[in-house]
Amino acid sequence: MLDLFDNEYGPDGFRTCSVTGLRIHRSAENPTKLFALTAIVALLVGGIFAFTVAMTRWELVGLLEAGDFYTHLSMHAWNLLIFWMIFMEIAVLYVGGPMVLGRRLSIPTLAKVGWGTMVLGAVAVNYGIWKTSAPNEAPLLTAYVPNPSEPLFYAGVIVFLLGATIAALPFFATLWVEKRENAGQTLPLVTFAAFTTAVIAVEAILGGLAAFSYAFLWRMEIIASVDAAIYRQLYWIAGHGTQQINLVAMIAVWYFLTHVVGGAEVVSEKVSRTAFILYLFFINLGAAHHLLSDPAVSTGWRIFNTSYAFYGATFASLIHAFAIPAGIEAGRRRRGLGGGLFGWLTGAPWLNPMFSATIFSIILFGFLGGITGVIMGQLQLNMTWHNTLATVGHFHATVVLGTTVAFMGLTYFAIRTLFMRQFISPKLASIQPYLYSGAMAIATLMLMYVGILYGVPRRTTEVVENIPGTEFSLSAAGPLFSVFGVFALLAIAGGVLFLVLAVGSVLFGKRIEPGDNDDITPDGGLAADGGESVHHYEMRGTFVLCLVFLTAFVITYLLNWYLLSQLWKIGI
Amino acid sequence: MTDSTSSSVFSLASGLFRRTWNDVLSVYYANTPIWRVLKSVGLLFFGFFCWSSANLLLSYRPSWSFLYFVMAYGFALIVWGPLTHFVLLPWVIRLRRTSNHPLTRTIARKGSMLNLSIFLTIVLVLGMAPVSPMLLDFGTLVDDGTGSPDVDPDLECTVVDELVECSLSDPSGIDHVVVTSGQKRIKTVEESPYDFEIRRSDLETVVGQKQFTVELRNEDGDTLRRYKRTVPADGE
C-alpha cells in the first residue's frame, strides 16, 4: 500500500538505521508504523472535537448547545486521552523492545490481531458515544455507574482493552526471549522504561477490564446492581492508570530522543532505573487523588495515598527532571559543545522538530503539569482545584503539553527513520512544535487561571455567562476566556499543521536514500569519541535550571496554601 | 575571625557576585534565535504569573498596595519581555555594529538602559494608576441581587400505587417544569407550585428501574436545574 511498509532489508530481514545505529527487523518495524498511523487517525478525530469543545467553552462563540456538548467532550476525551495515546504507546513498546534490543518481534501475528481488535473496540466506543441518546448519557472519561451509557460503549472499551493486551504480548515475549538468551545482562534503559510502561499498562488493563465488565453486566441487566463506591475505585485503576502509561512512555521517549537527536548520555543508569521502579510501586496509588472528594473512602486511606505514597512517584519524576537535562548537558559538553552556563542548551539542534518537541515536552510538563499535579494531588489543596477548569488545565499540561508533544517529536522521528521520508516542508516542521506548544501552553495556563482564580466549573456548557439558576456570576473571568479562545485556536492550527506535515510527508515526502538522514544525528556523532567520563563534566547549567524549577514550585505551592488558608472567610 | 579569613570570604562573595552578574548580562545580551525564543517565552509566562498572582493576593489583602507594582510589572512584562528580546535587543546590537550617526551611536550604546528605563517607568505609572484591563475583577462572584435568583429547590417524589407524585420545596424563579423519560416528553407543568403526578407505566425502564428526568426551566426555555429520579419497575 503506497510502499509505506517498504524498506530495504537484508536476507535475514534486518536493516541498520543510519541515525540510531539500531538493527531493525521487518517484523518490528511494520507493526510500529501501523500503530503510529492509527494513532494519527485518532488524533485527527479527537482534534476535530477539540475545536468544537474549545469554541463552546469560549462563549463569545458558544458553538454547541448543552445537549451536544457532553457528547463532543466525550469524543474529544476518548480519542485523545485513550486512542491516540495507547496506539502510540504500543508503537513505543515495539521501538523500546525489539528495535532497541536489535531483535525480531516475537509472535508478530499477535501484533496484527491486537491492532485489529483495538481498532474494532475504538470504532465501537466512538459509535457508542456518538449515538448516545436518552436514557443513556455520554460517558466522558468518568463513565460512572449508575449513570447508564450505551451498552456498545462498554463493550467497545472491553474489546479495546483486550486488543491492547494482545498487542502488548509480542513485546513481553520478545523480552522473555532476550532474557533467556542473555541471562544476567541488564536491559538497555529505554527497554527498561518500556517494560515499566508495559507493567503499569497491565495493571491498568486489568483494572479496566474489571470495571467495565462489571458495568457492562449491569447495563445488560445480567446483574441487578453495582456498588458505586467499589466501581469508582476499580474505574480509577484504569482511568488514571492509562494516564500513568502516558507518563512513563513519555519519559521513555524523552530518554530515547534526547539521546538519538540531542546527543544526551545517561548520567547514572542506576538512579534512572530506580526512578522507574519508584513509579512501579507508587504511581497507581496516586490515582487516589480522583477520590479525594469521595465520601466512600476513609480520610486515612486518602492521606496515605495522596501524601506518603504520592511523594514516591513525585520523587521519581524529580529524578528524571534532573537526569535528562543533565544527560544532555554532560553529553554535549563531552563533545565540546557546551560553552558557558547554557551554551550546551542554546547550541542544541533547535531547528530539529524532534529535539525541540522533546525539550518543550520536558519543560512544559515539568513546570505546568508536574507542579500542579503535586498541588492538586494533596488532600487539602485539592479542595480549591476539584472539578474546576484548573483540573482540565492540569491534564492538558500533562498529557497534551507533555505526552502529545513528546509523541509528536517521536512521529517526526518515525517519518524520517522508519517511513524514510523527507518532510514536505522542513521549515514548517521546524516551526510546528513552537506554534503548538506555545499556544497550547497559554491556553492551558488560562484554563488553570479561570479554574483556580474564579472557580469556573469544568463540566457545564455554560461557564462565563452565568450558570442558569445560580446567584454566582463568573462574568469577571471573561477576559481570561478571551485569551484562552484565541490561543486555543492557534493551538488547533498547530495541531492541524502537525497532521498535514505528518500525513503529507508519509504520503508525498521524498524518499530518503542512504546518507540523507545525517542532518538529524547529534553534533559530534551518536557516541562521543574519546573525552573523559561523563561524570567529569560540569552540569551547572542543569543545576541552575533545577533551582529555577524549585523556586517556581515553592512559590506556587505557598501561594496555593495561602489561598486555602483564606477560605474560612467565605460567608463572613 | 582574622583579617585574612574575612578578606577571603569577601573576595569569594564578590567573585561569586561578579560571576553571577556576568552570567546575567551574557544571558540578557544573548541574541541567537533560540535564546530570543527562550527568553521571550520565559518572560511571557513569568509575566502572566506575576500579574495573576498579584491580582489574586490583592483580592485577599487590599491593603498590600505594593502588589499593584508586582501586577504592573507582570502585566507590562507580557508584552515588553518578548518585545525586548525579539525586537529591541537585536536591533540595538545590530545598531552597535552599523551606526555612524552620533545619535544612533548614542542609542546603540545606551539602548538597553533606555529600554529598561522606559519599561520601569511604565511599571511605575501602571502601579500608581492601574488601568482596568490590568485589574482582574474578583468582586462579582456573588450577584448583587439584580441578576437571576438562586434556583435550587429540593425535589421530593413519592410512589403511591401506580402514581409518582412530585413536589418542589420552592417554586420561585421557575417558569415551567418539563418531565421526560428516555426520549419521550411525559409532561410540561406551567402552574406554580409545579407539583405533578406521572404514571409509572408511562416511564421508560433503564437497567431494571423506571427512570425519569425533571428539568426546571426559565421563560427563555433555558434549563435551570436538572434532576434524575428512579422508581422500582415492579411497584414494590
Side-chain angles (χ1 to χ4, degrees):
Chain A
M1 186 182 75
L2 294 167
D3 71 353
L4 289 181
F5 295 94
D6 287 345
N7 271 326
E8 285 178 23
Y9 301 98
D12 55 355
F14 281 96
R15 70 180 183 90
T16 301
C17 174
S18 61
V19 176
T20 59
L22 296 173
R23 285 183 77 232
I24 298 173
H25 194 265
R26 185 200 319 250
S27 63
E29 184 162 29
N30 287 341
T32 305
K33 291 177 180 176
L34 186 64
F35 278 95
L37 283 174
T38 317
I40 299 284
V41 175
L43 182 68
L44 170 67
V45 177
I48 291 168
F49 290 99
F51 176 78
T52 57
V53 167
M55 291 305 103
T56 306
R57 284 284 187 228
W58 188 18
E59 285 182 285
L60 191 70
V61 180
L63 191 64
L64 298 174
E65 293 296 321
D68 296 329
F69 177 68
Y70 226 61
T71 302
H72 282 240
L73 196 56
S74 300
M75 295 289 281
H76 175 60
W78 275 88
N79 280 289
L80 294 183
L81 277 168
I82 304 293
F83 303 139
W84 148 246
M85 297 283 176
I86 295 184
F87 276 109
M88 203 66 181
E89 278 149 12
I90 300 291
V92 170
L93 292 188
Y94 294 166
V95 172
M99 283 198 204
V100 171
L101 293 171
R103 308 192 63 91
R104 295 162 180 270
L105 181 71
S106 301
I107 337 173
T109 311
L110 278 188
K112 290 176 199 158
V113 174
W115 175 83
T117 316
M118 285 170 75
V119 168
L120 188 68
V123 170
V125 167
N126 272 302
Y127 187 77
I129 295 172
W130 189 245
K131 297 303 284 182
T132 296
S133 60
N136 294 306
E137 291 171 0
L140 196 54
L141 209 63
T142 44
Y144 280 170
V145 295
N147 287 335
S149 292
E150 292 287 339
L152 186 62
F153 162 76
Y154 298 113
V157 177
I158 292 166
V159 170
F160 181 80
L161 290 173
L162 283 172
T165 312
I166 297 167
L169 285 176
F171 167 79
F172 284 114
T174 308
L175 257 56
W176 185 70
V177 175
E178 166 73 16
K179 293 304 286 180
R180 273 177 66 93
E181 288 179 11
N182 300 297
Q185 277 187 24
T186 53
L187 295 170
L189 184 63
V190 172
T191 310
F192 188 77
F195 180 62
T196 312
T197 308
V199 173
I200 295 172
V202 169
E203 289 178 83
I205 285 170
L206 288 176
L209 286 174
F212 284 100
S213 302
Y214 194 18
F216 181 66
L217 292 175
W218 163 77
R219 186 64 189 85
M220 296 304 291
E221 300 184 40
I222 295 168
I223 56 174
S225 65
V226 168
D227 183 324
I230 296 286
Y231 174 80
R232 278 200 295 274
Q233 301 211 31
L234 284 175
Y235 175 81
W236 282 113
I237 299 173
H240 201 78
T242 46
Q243 307 318 308
Q244 305 309 161
I245 313 168
N246 300 341
L247 170 77
V248 187
M250 171 187 76
I251 291 173
V253 172
W254 288 353
Y255 276 106
F256 180 70
L257 284 183
T258 52
H259 173 61
V260 295
V261 298
E265 298 190 24
V266 180
V267 176
S268 170
E269 285 245 357
K270 278 183 187 168
V271 171
S272 293
R273 283 171 199 272
T274 307
F276 281 114
I277 290 170
L278 283 172
Y279 277 150
L280 215 49
F281 284 128
F282 294 116
I283 209 154
N284 268 350
L285 300 176
H289 74 253
H290 291 277
L291 304 173
L292 285 177
S293 298
D294 198 302
V297 287
S298 72
T299 305
W301 183 90
R302 285 184 253 177
I303 288 175
F304 174 77
N305 280 284
T306 55
S307 297
Y308 302 106
F310 193 63
Y311 295 144
T314 305
F315 183 49
S317 290
L318 291 174
I319 290 173
H320 294 305
F322 177 80
I324 292 175
I328 301 173
E329 181 169 7
R332 292 184 67 77
R333 284 191 192 281
R334 194 177 176 195
R335 290 170 174 78
L337 300 166
L341 191 61
F342 294 119
W344 56 277
L345 185 63
T346 56
W350 286 98
L351 291 178
N352 180 345
M354 304 149 218
F355 181 81
S356 60
T358 309
I359 300 299
F360 292 152
S361 165
I362 295 170
I363 293 173
L364 295 171
F365 177 89
F367 277 88
L368 295 183
I371 292 174
T372 56
V374 174
I375 287 169
M376 66 181 291
Q378 291 188 8
L379 180 65
Q380 300 91 334
L381 295 183
N382 180 66
M383 284 189 282
T384 58
W385 286 69
H386 188 75
N387 269 344
T388 71
L389 272 175
T391 306
V392 181
H394 160 73
F395 60 67
H396 277 77
T398 50
V399 293
V400 182
L401 292 171
T403 314
T404 292
V405 173
F407 285 180
M408 283 177 170
L410 188 66
T411 307
Y412 284 128
F413 187 75
I415 291 168
R416 290 290 300 266
T417 58
L418 300 186
F419 289 99
M420 301 297 280
R421 293 290 193 280
Q422 295 284 5
F423 300 130
I424 47 171
S425 168
K427 188 166 263 184
L428 285 177
S430 293
I431 292 169
Q432 189 274 334
Y434 292 82
L435 173 65
Y436 184 77
S437 308
M440 183 53 86
I442 303 276
T444 297
L445 203 61
M446 290 307 117
L447 287 172
M448 289 179 190
Y449 283 174
V450 295
I452 197 72
L453 302 184
Y454 293 98
V456 174
R458 59 185 278 205
R459 291 174 187 273
T460 55
T461 316
E462 302 85 2
V463 275
V464 175
E465 290 174 11
N466 295 356
I467 298 173
T470 67
E471 288 177 332
F472 284 97
S473 166
L474 299 169
S475 58
L480 294 183
F481 264 108
S482 297
V483 179
F484 163 78
V486 171
F487 281 93
L489 280 178
L490 284 172
I492 290 166
V496 170
L497 182 57
F498 170 76
L499 287 167
V500 169
L501 284 166
V503 177
S505 301
V506 166
L507 294 180
F508 308 113
K510 204 174 129 197
R511 185 150 190 103
I512 287 175
E513 300 303 330
D516 284 356
N517 257 337
D518 291 348
D519 58 315
I520 60 172
T521 52
D523 303 324
L526 192 61
D529 258 352
E532 293 183 282
S533 150
V534 76
H535 298 111
H536 284 86
Y537 295 91
E538 279 191 330
M539 296 170 214
R540 58 198 172 100
T542 301
F543 179 66
V544 171
L545 291 179
C546 286
L547 287 183
V548 171
F549 177 77
L550 196 63
T551 308
F553 202 143
V554 169
I555 292 173
T556 315
Y557 194 80
L558 290 178
L559 189 64
N560 273 270
W561 271 105
Y562 177 77
L563 294 179
L564 184 67
S565 73
Q566 301 298 304
L567 280 183
W568 65 273
K569 288 188 175 178
I570 286 177
I572 292 177
Chain B
M1 191 183 284
T2 62
D3 278 356
S4 62
T5 313
S6 64
S7 124
S8 74
V9 169
F10 178 76
S11 65
L12 189 74
S14 67
L16 190 67
F17 177 78
R18 202 168 42 251
R19 202 145 41 115
T20 308
W21 177 245
N22 285 338
D23 280 341
V24 169
L25 277 186
S26 68
V27 168
Y28 183 81
Y29 281 108
N31 191 35
T32 58
I34 191 58
W35 264 122
R36 284 183 225 158
V37 172
L38 289 176
K39 285 188 290 185
S40 301
V41 174
L43 291 176
L44 179 83
F45 276 95
F46 187 56
F48 264 122
F49 180 80
C50 290
W51 170 50
S52 60
S53 53
N55 259 297
L56 189 63
L57 280 176
L58 198 66
S59 71
Y60 286 106
R61 289 278 178 267
S63 60
W64 292 1
S65 47
F66 74 91
L67 287 172
Y68 282 109
F69 293 94
V70 180
M71 187 194 307
Y73 173 77
F75 188 69
L77 200 61
I78 292 171
V79 176
W80 213 266
L83 181 76
T84 297
H85 292 283
F86 258 128
V87 181
L88 297 176
L89 210 62
W91 179 67
V92 165
I93 290 171
R94 203 177 323 121
L95 219 55
R96 280 182 189 174
R97 288 199 302 266
T98 57
S99 60
N100 293 318
H101 193 276
L103 180 65
T104 52
R105 270 210 305 275
T106 308
I107 291 173
R109 216 172 42 248
K110 306 281 185 192
S112 292
M113 196 54 77
L114 198 65
N115 175 43
L116 206 59
S117 305
I118 293 169
F119 173 67
L120 290 176
T121 308
I122 290 171
V123 171
L124 283 175
V125 170
L126 285 178
M128 286 187 288
V131 293
S132 65
M134 193 175 103
L135 298 165
L136 292 176
D137 179 10
F138 294 101
T140 56
L141 284 177
V142 178
D143 212 337
D144 57 4
T146 55
S148 59
D150 194 11
V151 180
D152 192 18
D154 293 329
L155 174 70
E156 295 288 344
C157 293
T158 51
V159 184
V160 181
D161 297 329
E162 269 305 296
L163 284 181
V164 182
E165 299 172 354
C166 297
S167 63
L168 292 167
S169 60
D170 179 8
S172 55
I174 302 166
D175 184 71
H176 60 279
V177 171
V178 177
V179 185
T180 54
S181 181
Q183 289 179 302
K184 189 169 60 173
R185 181 179 284 216
I186 307 285
K187 184 169 274 191
T188 303
V189 190
E190 294 182 331
E191 294 297 322
S192 182
Y194 308 107
D195 296 345
F196 60 88
E197 289 179 352
I198 47 178
R199 299 187 65 78
R200 187 207 303 264
S201 54
D202 290 339
L203 303 180
E204 207 165 280
T205 302
V206 181
V207 279
Q209 290 187 307
K210 296 280 188 183
Q211 190 179 77
F212 63 99
T213 303
V214 179
E215 283 185 11
L216 315 184
R217 294 187 179 177
N218 64 15
E219 60 274 14
D220 298 327
D222 293 332
T223 301
L224 304 173
R225 282 281 179 270
R226 189 165 175 263
Y227 306 83
K228 186 173 273 190
R229 293 286 184 269
T230 54
V231 291
D234 56 3
E236 287 173 5

